[in-house]
Amino acid sequence: MGLRNILSRRRKTVGPSMAVPAGKSAELEAAWAELRQTVDESNVTSFRACSRNGRSWAEDPEAVRAIAATIGHILNDTAEGPKDNPAL
């Protein structure tokens, strides 16, 4: 597999995989549903996430919900406009 194959594969990746890892809990499925809804309501086409504890974020309901919340906060802040200097 050469560099060209790696780059070609990367270009084909359009957005995040929104599939729930197989065999997971109802809580995790609900968290993924929240993330899918948040992404559907936004203009987000892709994102990257990593965990800090060595466990996959995709298998942690709290982490999945945190990503959804972060995207939601960014959407709200963007819609409300800049907050740093109200005089501008």
Side-chain angles (χ1 to χ4, degrees):
M1 173 166 62
L3 182 59
R4 182 174 292 181
N5 290 338
I6 292 172
L7 295 175
S8 295
R9 257 191 251 161
R10 281 192 156 172
R11 267 187 250 135
K12 293 176 187 172
T13 303
V14 176
S17 171
M18 290 292 163
V20 178
K24 297 302 171 184
S25 71
E27 181 183 6
L28 182 59
E29 289 182 27
W32 272 96
E34 291 172 26
L35 178 58
R36 277 191 297 274
Q37 180 179 356
T38 302
V39 168
D40 287 346
E41 293 171 354
S42 71
N43 290 327
V44 172
T45 57
S46 67
F47 62 87
R48 291 181 177 253
C50 61
S51 63
R52 294 184 180 178
N53 61 6
R55 183 176 165 198
S56 172
W57 68 270
E59 297 177 3
D60 181 356
E62 287 183 34
V64 174
R65 283 191 174 105
I67 292 169
T70 300
I71 293 171
H73 291 308
I74 292 169
L75 287 173
N76 290 338
D77 289 348
T78 302
E80 294 173 7
K83 297 179 183 176
D84 294 339
N85 191 348
L88 293 177

